[in-house]
Amino acid sequence: MGKIISVANQKGGVGKTTTAINLAASLAALEFNTLIVDADPQANATSGVGLDPNQITTGIYECMINGIAVKDSVHKSNIKYLDILPSHINLVGAEVEMINLDNREDKMKSVLSDVRENYDFIIIDCSPSLGLITINALTASDSVIIPVQCEYFALEGLGKLLNTIKIIQTRLNTALQIEGILMTMYDIRLNLSNQVVNEIRTHFKTIAFETIIPRNVKLSESPSFGLPVISHDADSKGATSYINLAKEILRRNQIKAA
């Protein structure tokens, strides 16, 4: 049974979608069957693996709202072992449409239960909010990765997210764990970056990942090619960092790579 990991932070611009795409691609590169679920109406994870969101007719929205079979909505990527359940702009209205539904927090969990057996990992890219779709993602997940950028105001809003996770652990998903806090956009030349790393490691010793994701040109430009960085430039620092993150997650979960 596949492990479901959400990548969540209500703060935008922290490297959340970058992490979802590149962690999933790295796990696929290590020969684990992996599914990306794009749970963000901006559909950046969808375009980031080479699909055009404007051409998507069935995706996570249709599965959750219209009951379309998830197996009919999953698309193959150009990377072996990597599939995607895409998103498009209609997902914006999903929260309003779901408001009067029974068990509205469990819709994504129900959708993913139909394909969970087919994958080793399912990575959910959450939208930058703590709305109903993100709550659905966290309710469906075994764990959550929280990306935090190594910049000023890095810890702003983190308390609110951790509080939301606690509420979900109490009321909706008692098994939900924090997979780790991931530091992103690290620049070794900046004192501020190093200060943020020290602060996070001091406050969150046990859950901060050892792997840190650096600022990297190849990492920034790979989405414009519709490719994860490992396909764009496998020797770049960005690609190496995400492979290291994938390996660290495997170690934490006591899973051996092929």
Side-chain angles (χ1 to χ4, degrees):
M1 185 182 287
K3 178 161 191 174
I4 303 177
I5 304 174
S6 281
V7 183
N9 193 329
Q10 81 273 22
K11 204 169 174 343
V14 298
K16 180 178 51 58
T17 299
T18 299
T19 294
I21 293 170
N22 290 294
L23 171 59
S26 296
L27 289 165
L30 295 169
E31 300 186 2
F32 290 93
N33 283 317
T34 306
L35 174 69
I36 303 175
V37 177
D38 190 348
D40 185 347
Q42 295 174 83
N44 290 334
T46 300
S47 58
V49 294
L51 274 66
D52 181 353
N54 296 317
Q55 302 297 318
I56 299 299
T57 55
T58 60
I60 185 66
Y61 170 84
E62 285 75 18
C63 294
M64 291 175 68
I65 303 299
N66 301 329
I68 299 294
V70 66
K71 61 182 173 54
D72 298 329
S73 304
V74 168
H75 294 245
K76 294 280 182 193
S77 76
N78 292 323
I79 298 165
K80 193 176 180 184
Y81 301 113
L82 182 63
D83 294 344
I84 181 160
L85 180 57
S87 178
H88 53 69
I89 194 63
N90 286 6
L91 193 62
V92 166
E95 296 197 358
V96 175
E97 293 178 59
M98 290 166 65
I99 205 110
N100 292 319
L101 296 180
D102 292 333
N103 302 317
R104 58 183 180 268
E105 297 91 355
D106 290 322
K107 293 298 178 186
M108 193 178 298
K109 183 178 183 178
S110 176
V111 166
L112 296 181
S113 66
D114 290 341
V115 292
R116 188 167 184 169
E117 296 289 341
N118 302 342
Y119 296 97
D120 299 304
F121 289 95
I122 296 175
I123 308 296
I124 306 176
D125 180 32
C126 298
S127 62
S129 74
L130 294 178
L132 188 52
I133 299 296
T134 298
I135 289 168
N136 259 264
L138 294 172
T139 303
S141 296
D142 299 305
S143 64
V144 54
I145 292 172
I146 304 168
V148 174
Q149 82 278 38
C150 295
E151 292 177 357
Y152 199 60
F153 295 134
L155 301 181
E156 188 185 63
L158 191 55
K160 189 176 180 184
L161 176 59
L162 292 171
N163 191 46
T164 300
I165 290 168
K166 267 187 189 169
I167 292 167
I168 287 166
Q169 287 169 328
T170 305
R171 300 181 187 173
L172 297 169
N173 182 2
T174 54
L176 181 66
Q177 296 181 325
I178 296 175
E179 190 74 35
I181 292 176
L182 176 68
M183 289 167 275
T184 62
M185 304 178 191
Y186 174 73
D187 189 334
I188 196 169
R189 300 166 299 178
L190 300 180
N191 281 335
L192 180 59
S193 280
N194 294 306
Q195 286 169 10
V196 171
V197 168
N198 290 334
E199 195 170 345
I200 289 172
R201 291 215 159 128
T202 300
H203 284 88
F204 303 102
K205 288 176 190 164
T206 56
I207 56 173
F209 284 110
E210 292 170 27
T211 305
I212 298 175
I213 308 301
R215 283 198 178 278
N216 179 249
V217 172
K218 297 296 182 184
L219 195 54
S220 299
E221 70 185 18
S222 61
S224 65
F225 293 91
L227 293 169
V229 70
I230 199 166
S231 299
H232 180 52
D233 186 345
D235 296 323
S236 66
K237 282 186 177 177
T240 303
S241 298
Y242 276 108
I243 282 285
N244 288 339
L245 175 64
K247 289 178 176 176
E248 185 174 349
I249 288 170
L250 294 174
R251 283 198 306 276
R252 285 185 176 206
N253 289 278
Q254 299 181 326
I255 300 169
K256 289 186 178 178

